[in-house]
Amino acid sequence: FGRTEVIDNTLNPDFVRKFVLDYYFEEKQNLRFDSHSAVFGAQDFLGQAFVALGEVIGAQRGRLERPLTGVPGKRCGTILLLAEELSNCRDIITMQLCANKLDKKDFFGKSDPFLVFYRSNEDGTFTICHKTEVVKNTLNPVWQPFTIPVRALCNGDYDRTVKIDVYDWDRDGSHDFIGEFATSYRELSRAQSQFTVYEVLNPQKKCKKKKYVNSGTVTLLSFSVESEFTFVDYIRGGTQLNFTVAIDFTASNGLPSQPTSLHYVSPYQLSAYALALKAVGEVIQDYDSDKLFPAYGFGAKVPPDGKISHQFPLNNNAENPSCCGIEGVLESYLQSLRTVQLYGPTNFAPVINQVAGTAAQVTDGSQYHVLLIITDGVISDMLQTKEAIVTASALPMSIIIVGVGPAEFEAMEELDGDEVRLSSRGRFAERDIVQFVPFRDYVDDSGNQVLSMARLAKDVLAEIPEQLLSYMKTRDIKPRRADP
């Protein structure tokens, strides 16, 4: 990707050159750093370090120290990595405008005016960046307040021209041009302390009529700016992602000893359950400082009494169900397959309520919980599950559901509130916190499991940053400042 400058005659170099990397939470972005010594035009290898970008961002204070390795029998020193997010114009504007004495364009009745905002481009062209609503039958409209990112309005250049056209709306789409005016972000921002009035001018009318003054005026009634916080702001400020796993042990998965089972442990490849767990878990674990993950099973008869459980710890430790890292979760999962009896039914509500209870204990933004449910079938307790999700939507929590196997998953689509907000007993979910994907959509045709895992992780994790931000915004929780 790039190389630092050379620093002469030192064993403790502090490099100045920075590298800019595009960052995607939903992908595991692996980096390798090689260290060399430049001696008489040659390069002696001093060592290397392998890290994931998420590990650097998720490290305390954004500082990650790793040993350099790669030279047998030799201590190669350490590398210290520092990460910071490039903040380029993350402010959001809220403004409101009104107009006075606009030109009348309709033969019957008055005009139906609306505004179109254009951002100027480097080549002199203009791009539409916002349209207001239409205010019907008036020459003195007052438009509703609206918000727009500064980068959308002027791409961070405060003096770049912003052109605003005023139109009279027509049903057939042939809107009549009333006039235009130009401004800039810097000029608009001055309206925080005073009203700013713009003349609306129609160049054609101005050329034809000697006594033409204007086609009305537009007044900026209010203008305010707020900072838009990002997912990285919260992670850097100390917010911890707590990852919990719940695995379906119902009999519909098939006997684990049979190759047709979705739980079948093959010496040659991972099962669908193990693949889904590794794909999602290996990305999220970089953002969890202690790497301890509570892991549960549901829908099985568990020893010693053979009672059906919908929330049993995979490590068989009810007092501390946490496993060490994703490999620890996998190990406990495989051990459970050898000790429990797959049974049923498929109940989600108990484990959702379990994680929701934990999430409810800390709601100040320092903790955020992600529950991964891997299942093969139809939910048996749909009403209770919907109730649990609606309740959990008010908590710092997200739910990922991965459906494995050939079953139809219509009920899961209902839980994923992308189209219609989930409701239960007249209550609507406060936020959309569920992301569902069928695993079969991500199986690579060539059988490449690494590619399948990468595709799956990318899609199921894509919504987590926005879901975290939506919780913080509804609670007006701002990211904490990282220690200097």
Side-chain angles (χ1 to χ4, degrees):
F1 185 83
R3 64 174 62 194
T4 68
E5 72 279 16
V6 175
I7 299 181
D8 291 333
N9 196 32
T10 179
L11 300 179
N12 302 292
D14 187 1
F15 299 105
V16 174
R17 186 171 299 166
K18 297 181 179 181
F19 301 98
V20 180
L21 293 160
D22 290 328
Y23 163 69
Y24 307 96
F25 168 75
E26 64 270 22
E27 294 181 16
K28 191 171 183 70
Q29 296 168 260
N30 293 312
L31 308 175
R32 188 185 88 197
F33 295 87
D34 287 359
S35 176
H36 297 273
S37 176
V39 182
F40 302 115
Q43 290 189 9
D44 289 343
F45 178 71
L46 300 179
Q48 62 187 189
F50 296 86
V51 302
L53 182 55
E55 289 182 278
V56 186
I57 293 173
Q60 192 172 21
R61 302 176 184 169
R63 297 163 58 91
L64 184 70
E65 191 169 327
R66 278 290 167 84
L68 291 166
T69 61
V71 181
K74 183 179 178 182
R75 294 180 63 181
C76 303
T78 58
I79 184 170
L80 177 63
L81 305 170
L82 305 177
E84 64 180 359
E85 185 178 24
L86 293 182
S87 57
N88 180 20
C89 193
R90 290 186 286 147
D91 292 341
I92 292 181
I93 304 167
T94 300
M95 67 174 105
Q96 184 178 22
L97 301 101
C98 70
N100 189 44
K101 297 181 180 179
L102 295 176
D103 285 352
K104 182 176 179 293
K105 290 291 184 178
D106 293 339
F107 188 76
F108 298 105
K110 300 174 183 178
S111 297
D112 304 320
F114 68 98
L115 303 177
V116 181
F117 286 71
Y118 299 85
R119 178 184 69 243
S120 60
N121 303 315
E122 298 288 349
D123 60 0
T125 60
F126 288 88
T127 301
I128 294 177
C129 58
H130 181 75
K131 289 182 181 179
T132 68
E133 80 280 9
V134 176
V135 182
K136 292 292 190 71
N137 196 31
T138 179
L139 302 180
N140 304 294
V142 178
W143 290 282
Q144 293 293 320
F146 66 91
T147 60
I148 182 172
V150 173
R151 59 178 175 271
L153 187 70
C154 63
N155 204 27
D157 182 352
Y158 292 173
D159 296 307
R160 183 176 293 195
T161 299
V162 176
K163 186 166 78 77
I164 302 168
D165 288 351
V166 187
Y167 284 95
D168 168 39
W169 178 85
D170 285 330
R171 187 180 300 277
D172 63 2
S174 59
H175 311 309
D176 298 317
F177 178 71
I178 295 176
E180 65 184 11
F181 61 96
T183 183
S184 66
Y185 170 84
R186 195 179 301 280
E187 187 175 304
L188 289 167
S189 66
R190 296 189 185 119
Q192 293 180 82
S193 56
Q194 61 184 21
F195 287 167
T196 302
V197 180
Y198 296 96
E199 283 192 293
V200 178
L201 301 177
N202 186 321
Q204 289 186 343
K205 291 183 71 172
K206 190 175 183 180
C207 290
K208 291 178 181 178
K209 297 182 179 181
K210 290 184 178 179
K211 294 184 178 180
Y212 175 79
V213 178
N214 59 47
S215 295
T217 60
V218 169
T219 302
L220 182 62
L221 296 176
S222 63
F223 183 94
S224 60
V225 183
E226 288 185 354
S227 292
E228 179 187 30
F229 297 116
T230 68
F231 173 75
V232 174
D233 288 331
Y234 287 97
I235 297 299
R236 291 290 303 277
T239 297
Q240 284 290 308
L241 293 188
N242 298 307
F243 185 46
T244 302
V245 177
I247 295 178
D248 185 338
F249 281 79
T250 56
S252 56
N253 286 283
L255 287 173
S257 59
Q258 300 297 319
T260 53
S261 172
L262 294 168
H263 283 302
Y264 178 65
V265 181
S266 165
Y268 306 108
Q269 62 181 19
L270 296 170
S271 69
Y273 277 89
L275 272 177
L277 175 60
K278 280 180 68 70
V280 178
E282 286 188 351
V283 173
I284 286 189
Q285 72 176 355
D286 290 341
Y287 299 85
D288 191 312
S289 60
D290 62 14
K291 305 290 188 291
L292 295 175
F293 308 126
Y296 299 94
F298 58 90
K301 289 184 175 181
V302 299
D305 51 14
K307 287 185 178 179
I308 299 171
S309 175
H310 301 293
Q311 185 192 335
F312 61 90
L314 295 185
N315 65 1
N316 202 32
N317 184 347
E319 297 297 320
N320 183 12
S322 295
C323 303
C324 187
I326 293 306
E327 291 304 321
V329 177
L330 271 172
E331 185 179 325
S332 296
Y333 156 64
L334 296 175
Q335 179 62 32
S336 290
L337 285 176
R338 293 189 283 268
T339 58
V340 305
Q341 179 187 347
L342 274 60
Y343 205 73
T346 307
N347 290 351
F348 281 11
V351 74
I352 293 175
N353 288 329
Q354 165 71 24
V355 177
T358 304
Q361 295 174 16
V362 182
T363 59
D364 63 357
S366 62
Q367 307 285 325
Y368 194 86
H369 296 261
V370 179
L371 168 62
L372 170 65
I373 300 175
I374 313 176
T375 184
D376 82 312
V378 179
I379 302 173
S380 304
D381 64 339
M382 188 62 174
L383 292 177
Q384 293 88 341
T385 295
K386 289 167 70 174
E387 179 75 11
I389 292 172
V390 169
T391 301
S393 68
L395 298 171
M397 175 176 170
S398 291
I399 302 170
I400 298 166
I401 304 174
V402 178
V404 297
E408 296 300 324
F409 295 107
E410 289 91 347
M412 307 295 185
E413 300 287 359
E414 184 182 350
L415 299 179
D416 190 335
D418 285 343
E419 300 296 331
V420 180
R421 185 61 59 89
L422 187 69
S423 64
S424 173
R425 301 181 184 179
R427 286 196 307 146
F428 281 87
E430 187 176 306
R431 304 177 294 123
D432 171 24
I433 64 169
V434 178
Q435 171 76 338
F436 166 74
V437 297
F439 182 75
R440 58 176 173 260
D441 291 355
Y442 299 89
V443 176
D444 185 65
D445 293 336
S446 66
N448 185 328
Q449 290 194 334
V450 174
L451 194 55
S452 298
M453 289 166 59
R455 288 173 176 169
L456 177 70
K458 183 177 174 64
D459 269 18
V460 300
L461 293 174
E463 291 187 13
I464 298 296
E466 284 303 317
Q467 290 176 0
L468 182 148
L469 288 173
S470 72
Y471 173 80
M472 301 298 185
K473 192 168 185 178
T474 58
R475 297 297 183 274
D476 195 28
I477 298 173
K478 293 178 173 54
R480 298 175 181 177
R481 288 185 177 274
D483 293 335

